[in-house]
Amino acid sequence: EIIEPFSTLSRLRVVSFERCSVTDEGARRLQNALPEAVVLHPAVPPTGAEQAAIAWAKSQQATIGVWPVDALDAVPQRSY
């Protein structure tokens, strides 16, 4: 699996595994290896920092869009 090479990239900030065959376990391993990165995969829930950022933006009347879902109505508790 391609997770191991990615896990050495300490400056990586966002990884999207929405349309590939990365396993749930692989995506979780990458999130654990790179805790400062945002890993977008159905098996990886949003971090507390991501939830706080979305909550703040929503409190400022922002519209948050998440592809392919569209606008978020509330702060996501599960992967998005």
Side-chain angles (χ1 to χ4, degrees), residues 2-72:
I2 192 136
I3 296 305
E4 304 316 318
F6 274 108
S7 66
T8 64
L9 302 173
S10 61
R11 292 183 169 197
L12 194 61
R13 292 295 172 250
V14 178
V15 182
S16 176
F17 291 123
E18 295 175 47
R19 292 184 176 171
C20 62
S21 59
V22 171
T23 64
D24 292 356
E25 177 59 27
R28 286 190 290 265
R29 278 195 340 262
L30 183 60
Q31 183 67 82
N32 287 336
L34 300 172
E36 299 298 317
V38 174
V39 177
L40 299 172
H41 185 277
V44 179
T47 65
E50 290 171 65
Q51 290 174 330
I54 292 169
W56 177 85
K58 295 290 286 176
S59 76
Q60 302 301 308
Q61 307 303 311
T63 299
I64 310 293
V66 178
W67 182 88
V69 177
D70 203 10
L72 292 176

